[in-house]
Amino acid sequence: MGFKETGVLTLEDMMRAGLMPSEERLRKGPVALLECPEQIPCNICVSACPFKAISMDKIYELPRLDENKCVGCGVCVAKCPGLAIFVIDVSKGDKAYITLPYEFLPRPSKGVKVKLLNREGKIVGEGVIVKAWEYEKTWVVTVEVEKNLWFDVRAIRIEGR
Amino acid sequence: MKDYRIVEHPIIDFKRGRKVSLTYNGKIVEAYEGESILAGLYAAGFRVFATSPQGDRLRGAFCMIGRCSSCLSRVNGIPNTRICIEPVRDGLIVETQEGLPDIPKVSREIVDVVEEMKDVDVLIIGAGPAGLKAAEILGGYGLRVLVATDHFRAGGQLVKQTHKFFGDTTYYGGVRGFKIAEKLISNLSRNPNVEISTRTFVYGYFKEGFFGAEKIGDPSLHLLIRAKYVIVAAGASERSLLFENNDLPGIMGAGGAQTLMNEYGVKPGEDALVIGSGNVGLIVAYQLLQAGVRVHGIAEVLREIGGWFVHAAKIRRHGVPIFTGHTIVRAEGRDRVEKAVISQVGKDLKPLPGTEKEFNVDLVLLAVGLQPNYSLLSQMGALMKYLPEAGGLIPLRTRYMETSIRNVFVAGDLSGIEEATTAFIEGEIAAYTILEREGFAKAVEERERILNYLWNEYRQSPVVQRSRDAKLKVTVSEEEMKRLRG
């Protein structure tokens, strides 16, 4: 079953669409993952990137990331209308840092413990928010997670609502 | 009494107006200025608003934009009032209608109709993305424009779109829909050439060359509108679906739920099931989660998710399942939905007995397509084509959005169901064509640039191919249109 049946992307889907940064780049530090495998007519990420690391010739093409220009700042995470961009950092010790968009209540803040959800919404662990900032009501939240969860965690749930 | 209004929302800051009170079936109900009667009643816990014409079936809220008949009530003695597009006011007397209403006694209000002639360059019917965008351009060039909408607020469906728009920054990409509406309306309010007339029902065209419109107010006006050019951008209405008990209160159009929770900040229910996984179904599921509603799943009759992957991914990662190859077979409940049953479908898309799944929900949202509001264009005699893949009867038009009636244009969902970005673009194309006819030389260049973007960039995307193909089927050449006009 493909992502059009499940609504869930696999690592193979990402590779096939040419959206996966190289392993070498992943080891270097934070980098954006553009989880946008369909040719939708949208180029917001291209104009969003302050480092011109994302490009597209036609508005319906898949975004292409220049992994050498991307610094993992997360501006694209805030601006992508599809909430389809994440920043992954697997360069530091035994933890991974995942930056994801969040548009729910309660609002996130640094130091808060959260439930970690995978692409199917299943709880796969707990993590801590290490950074959170907001742009036009979309929060960009970085969570610290176990390293082996770097490709699984794609959402958080903050308890207490 | 419980208040179902949403106090805190992750995206929207609800600014409520002054408190007003009305009576509903003799009970005093408090609401806030700016709400529709229906929203105010829903917030106070009412769920049944009318009955079937025979009086034996209960009716809840369905479309909430004045297009269906689920909320027909008696307001200050006037029957068949759509309370979803009637604003609350102090002292209103609202009553439920049982079955077909009696004709009201002739009142002063009805006898003393004030008639007014209006002459404009362009009449735009509809104040959604297509109509407002066209008005912005035409007004900017100094043409006198009247935008008529039957709602008491302009903006069309933009006002309830809480997600950031896709596309290109030229067409508000990255901006939330309701913010776009605010911006467009505030720009237009500063342009003395443009009048937006709310609560104005354009009911027909007369061969003597004018439109008849009723502007509800105090006093109500009967408008006779003459216009050199017309853009009909009347949008579309939500479709229903055949299944057992499909009229139980609590079953509503996906857009109806958006109206309640995103426009008025009223929680539509606690537990929801969505039918249809096109972009509307996927987006409404996400918005329900944001409003604090539990979403038990989305049923999709086809084998694949209908909408864009990114919208599906957004709800999947918050635990909402999508049941592809499933359809709803029945709803159960006494006065409102208490349970919904879906079932797998076979290759013929018919339910397979023995595969039912039950959900204890109080909301079933139908996101099964839209039907263009073709009635005015049809009454005017515009040539139409039946295109099921684009929503039904669609007016034929040239690539410049002109219908078979000279100087009458179409734009937005009425020209075939698509989405807001293309509605903006179609509104622009119609506007620039009018400007060309008015002798503005630069208009042609602008229009060709936009046409090129629309057909050779935007609609080249494989995910919009279906609507592109549909639009091609109703777009005829200038020569062909001349021949058709006879």
Side-chain angles (χ1 to χ4, degrees), chain B residues 81-329:
Chain B
T81 304
R82 292 190 161 104
I83 55 171
C84 65
I85 53 167
E86 190 70 23
V88 296
R89 274 105 71 203
D90 260 323
L92 276 186
I93 298 165
V94 184
E95 297 157 293
T96 310
Q97 261 173 222
E98 299 290 333
L100 286 175
D102 294 327
I103 298 169
K105 291 198 184 76
V106 174
S107 67
R108 240 183 51 97
E109 223 172 309
I110 293 167
V111 175
D112 297 343
V113 176
V114 183
E115 206 165 85
E116 197 181 298
M117 230 19 231
K118 254 186 189 303
D119 260 297
V120 292
D121 294 317
V122 189
L123 168 64
I124 298 175
I125 296 151
L132 293 180
K133 191 75 202 171
E136 184 179 66
I137 290 173
L138 292 162
Y141 275 82
L143 269 65
R144 289 167 308 136
V145 181
L146 175 66
V147 184
T149 172
D150 52 10
H151 206 287
F152 57 85
R153 183 179 293 155
Q157 308 314 299
L158 285 177
V159 301
K160 59 194 81 160
Q161 305 310 326
T162 55
H163 62 287
K164 291 175 179 162
F165 272 35
F166 289 76
D168 190 292
T169 45
T170 326
Y171 293 102
Y172 313 103
V175 184
R176 297 186 193 277
F178 67 97
K179 292 278 178 193
I180 302 172
E182 279 172 18
K183 199 172 161 183
L184 270 169
I185 293 163
S186 99
N187 284 350
L188 287 174
S189 70
R190 284 195 297 269
N191 188 331
N193 303 316
V194 179
E195 180 193 347
I196 300 180
S197 182
T198 55
R199 305 188 75 198
T200 302
F201 296 73
V202 180
Y203 59 79
Y205 176 73
F206 296 87
K207 64 178 190 299
E208 290 79 3
F210 56 82
F211 288 86
E214 190 187 5
K215 183 171 171 60
I216 312 280
D218 195 18
S220 288
L221 291 177
H222 186 220
L223 301 176
L224 298 175
I225 307 164
R226 275 183 212 279
K228 275 173 88 175
Y229 306 94
V230 182
I231 300 175
V232 190
S237 318
E238 279 186 294
R239 289 177 176 280
S240 185
L241 190 69
L242 273 180
F243 58 91
E244 195 180 327
N245 283 330
N246 71 351
D247 60 344
L248 266 182
I251 295 172
M252 61 177 77
Q258 286 186 318
T259 306
L260 278 179
M261 65 189 173
N262 298 345
E263 189 175 352
Y264 300 112
V266 177
K267 205 172 170 185
E270 300 298 337
D271 292 270
L273 182 70
V274 178
I275 311 301
S277 73
N279 277 346
V280 173
L282 298 172
I283 287 171
V284 83
Y286 183 71
Q287 295 175 350
L288 286 163
L289 295 174
Q290 289 178 312
V293 178
R294 286 178 291 270
V295 184
H296 293 238
I298 299 186
E300 166 58 53
V301 74
L302 301 177
R303 302 283 152 191
E304 280 197 352
I305 295 163
W308 296 353
F309 165 78
V310 290
H311 287 308
K314 252 165 36 180
I315 57 160
R316 291 289 285 119
R317 60 180 182 251
H318 287 282
V320 177
I322 302 175
F323 303 100
T324 54
H326 280 73
T327 192
I328 183 165
V329 287

Side-chain angles (χ1 to χ4, degrees), chain B residues 311-371:
Chain B
H311 287 308
K314 252 165 36 180
I315 57 160
R316 291 289 285 119
R317 60 180 182 251
H318 287 282
V320 177
I322 302 175
F323 303 100
T324 54
H326 280 73
T327 192
I328 183 165
V329 287
R330 68 174 181 277
E332 295 174 19
R334 202 193 297 251
D335 297 337
R336 61 169 310 179
V337 177
E338 289 161 27
K339 190 189 275 185
V341 181
I342 66 171
S343 133
Q344 270 180 44
V345 295
K347 282 214 171 70
D348 56 359
L349 304 184
K350 298 233 162 66
L352 294 170
T355 62
E356 290 84 3
K357 292 183 181 69
E358 294 190 354
F359 298 90
N360 292 320
V361 292
D362 59 350
L363 261 187
V364 174
L365 300 178
L366 302 182
V368 293
L370 302 166
Q371 172 180 296

